[in-house]
Amino acid sequence: MNRIIAAVVASFLACAPAIADPVAGGRANVVIQPEPPSLMLGLVQNAPTQQIAGNIYEGLLRYDAKLEAMPSLAKSWEVSDDGLTYTFHLEEGVKWHDGAAFSADDVVFTADVFLRQQHPRFRAILEHVASITAPDANTVVFTLKAPFGPFLNAFEVGSMPIVPKHIYEGTDFQNNPANNTPIGTGPFKFGEWQKGSFIKLVKNPDYWDEGKPYLDEIYWHVIPDAASRAVAYETGQVDILPAGSVETFDIPRLAALDNTCMTEAGWEFFAPQSWVWINTRQGPAANKEFRQAIMYALDREFIKDALFNGLGKISNGPFAASTKFNDTDIAPYPYDPAKAKELVKASGYNGEVLKLVPMPYGETWMRLGEVIKQNLEDVGIKVEIVSTDVAGWNQKLSDWDYDLSTTYLFQYGDPALGVSRTYVSTNIAKGSPWNNVEGYANPEVDALFAEGAGTIDPAKRQAVYSEVQKILVDDVPNAWLLDLGMPTIMRCSVKDLITTGIGLNDGFKNAYIEK
Amino acid sequence: MDFWRRFASNRGGVIGLVLLVIIVAVAATAPLLFPNNPWKMVSRPFLPPFENMKFILGTDTVGRDVAAGLAHGARVSLLVGLVSTVAALLIGIPMGALAGYFGGRVDDALMRITEFFQTVPSFALAIVIVAIFQPSVVSITLAIGIVSWPPVARLVRGEVMSLRKREYVEAAILQGLSAPSIILRQVLPNAISPIIVMASLMVASAILLESSLSFLGLGDPNLMSWGYMIGAARTVIRQAWWLSFFPGVAIVLTVLALNLIGESLNDALNPRLSRRRS
């Protein structure tokens, strides 16, 4: 008898590693860089906020790596034949983290009131929407003014995080005390935030998607120094290094460690592109030739190899190469200092000092600022670096108090969602570092972007977007640098973390850690 | 030349002086030795030292010449060290002299202000000041000056208090000389030696403060300084030791030189107090 039991146990043990079922429990330790200014995703949408708060809040839809829609808060949806009516059927029995019931009213409030006021990117989408209604508690209907090609791509959590109506209605959104303890419907609840140390999310036991999430808690560690972040991974303090959390020259060394997996997946939706913001309103940069000179002066091959460890691709224009409507016929500006000097002279530049405010996202980005300054000084443009912290940098961009700055922004799967916002003149407004900060206004570009967005046929859209790319590449409203490569480094025992086109940002719903 | 004899009798002081002369010479001739801007990317990144004699100390993360950075950084370090010390003296000496000379309520008031600055940790205060005014060479110099004057004020106050009771000062008062003229002509000249000694040490600590601020990323982003070089290199210390090693050595040597000189000056200027001479 004993022998039989032993045999059964032995066979069971032998089988155990082969079972690939997710394991419940455990804690994920993740690096967050830099510390986000807030976790209220409806108000703040910079990268670290999206990375954490995407697990607290949810959108109506999720997207796979090919950017096809998947259910989330909406379990199913229909699009009318004329492309004007989008009907979403919501999950039933969904509860906010404070226990209140979630309903279609929350969705209508979020889209029509909250995000219309607070979310510049979503506001641009709302331009196409005629009405948002809730015929019953579990149905939401968006009616469009005219067909809008990428509309079904607009419901990801960072684009449209559903916020609780019962907490925000009638309050001053920016100063609502609940912003410090965000309440969403997502798989994880806000636990604790020790400023400068860590942000803790805990499992939402009442999560509507039965059985998920698997992890008990997630710690996002704030470690302000890149070398310390690399050490934290090596010593086992953290298990997941999101893209951008270690310096690029450390990546090959870390990727070669035992039990370490690296992937560039999970960024298909964002397709981040970096560029130099040029304040086209004032000074020498108001001149097109001067801006072209900047483009020729930047040694982007060097920037890619020396600063980004060869990851990424030199941008040929405002559309990231991995996005659908990038015109591959457009050649990137070559590195040509001689030509840049000529153009600087032709532009009538007479020695004004340009203020460069580098994006303070760590050493690589600071070095990038220094390299840009040097590249520009080599062709006779005087540059002064102004260093500041993340909040100060956001502030300066929002107030247009800069001449040059660096950034990288996401393209959100479609030029009408992620590209046009940077270049159309209707999106010039103080108060946001993510809109048309450079102040570029060109009626032709506005018209083309509008046409591209209103067209459904991909071939026609391509023609329109090719034209807009040619105009922008000639005008250089911003100096494009690289389409960034974004490697995530983690222990191989962390499974199913990256299952969508936005990767980590909503990945912890499915993630588990193999014992 | 009694002064020099006494100064030279302390071998450390001579070594310090030689070191300082070399550092000053390098700083002064930096534009000639390294005519390129130290921010210029001159070679491939991470070139190890002593491999290419054109860039004898190697290149940094983006291919900038480390030796050029050191030479140009010396200018910044010395300049900030000197100017901020002068600033500290300009605040500290009048405060101390007035407090020591007049005593009473003036003394109380001025010393409470001094104590206020002394109780705030000086480095933290410097960080706050620089962060408020945005990092630039002016704000950094000012910040270091503001946090380092209290010891000067206390030293000068003590000296002035004891000198105040000397007969020649009393004689000057009886002669009807005005207080400013007594302080400036009779008292301060006699208190100058300890101030000089202290100032030389303050330059050293100012250089350290500037390096620490730059290390933390609060340096002037447009000036190459030693602290910046170490701060930028610390993330790659495993791949490229030389990027933090050479500027570190430069800081150590400069601070050491100034300390040795300070000690030697003390011997030379206060022969009766000297520990070395019997």
Side-chain angles (χ1 to χ4, degrees), chain A residues 168-424:
Chain A
Y168 285 99
E169 190 175 33
T171 66
D172 173 6
F173 302 152
Q174 291 280 354
N175 296 313
N176 191 312
N179 294 343
N180 298 322
T181 51
I183 289 170
T185 57
F188 288 89
K189 298 207 262 195
F190 175 78
E192 190 185 356
W193 186 346
Q194 295 241 345
K195 297 262 174 185
S197 177
F198 65 84
I199 296 169
K200 177 187 174 188
L201 303 190
V202 295
K203 178 177 183 160
N204 175 6
D206 303 321
Y207 190 53
W208 55 268
D209 197 350
E210 205 83 21
K212 287 176 182 168
Y214 304 113
L215 295 169
D216 288 335
E217 50 190 13
I218 313 171
Y219 276 83
W220 302 88
H221 296 265
V222 178
I223 307 174
D225 171 63
S228 313
R229 289 193 288 273
V231 170
Y233 181 80
E234 286 171 273
T235 57
Q237 192 202 339
V238 300
D239 303 313
I240 300 161
L241 294 170
S245 49
V246 295
E247 299 303 340
T248 43
F249 32 75
D250 250 355
I251 289 173
R253 184 173 65 81
L254 292 171
L257 294 173
D258 281 350
N259 185 26
T260 296
C261 292
M262 185 175 100
T263 173
E264 287 192 52
W267 288 87
E268 295 82 2
F269 187 82
F270 297 112
Q273 188 184 47
S274 63
W275 63 75
V276 181
W277 286 115
I278 302 176
N279 197 341
T280 62
R281 295 173 188 84
Q282 58 192 36
N287 183 308
K288 179 170 116 181
E289 284 168 318
F290 185 83
R291 300 198 298 268
Q292 288 175 338
I294 293 177
M295 211 63 247
Y296 283 114
L298 296 173
D299 188 353
R300 296 185 287 168
E301 197 72 48
F302 175 84
I303 288 171
K304 181 180 139 190
D305 291 339
L307 295 175
F308 292 93
N309 206 41
L311 291 169
K313 194 163 187 284
I314 291 173
S315 306
N316 70 345
F319 288 43
S322 61
T323 61
K324 279 181 261 180
F325 300 108
N326 174 277
D327 187 340
T328 46
D329 291 342
I330 297 174
Y333 275 80
Y335 172 54
D336 190 345
K339 178 127 190 197
K341 271 183 205 160
E342 268 169 41
L343 285 165
V344 169
K345 200 176 280 175
S347 75
Y349 172 73
N350 47 19
E352 295 99 326
V353 178
L354 299 187
K355 266 197 303 182
L356 167 62
V357 190
M359 178 170 65
Y361 275 19
E363 294 292 319
T364 303
W365 294 96
M366 295 315 287
R367 293 297 91 71
L368 174 64
E370 291 157 17
V371 169
I372 290 169
K373 174 183 166 158
Q374 198 53 44
N375 278 166
L376 295 180
E377 293 199 330
D378 285 347
V379 301
I381 302 174
K382 289 193 184 128
V383 178
E384 183 188 273
I385 293 182
V386 179
S387 62
T388 175
D389 58 0
V390 177
W393 170 73
N394 277 343
Q395 191 65 43
K396 280 186 190 304
L397 285 179
S398 306
D399 292 346
W400 307 337
D401 175 21
Y402 75 101
D403 293 312
L404 302 171
S405 179
T406 46
T407 196
Y408 68 87
L409 284 186
F410 300 146
Q411 306 222 325
Y412 299 105
D414 195 287
L417 298 178
V419 181
S420 64
R421 60 176 170 147
T422 311
Y423 305 102
V424 296

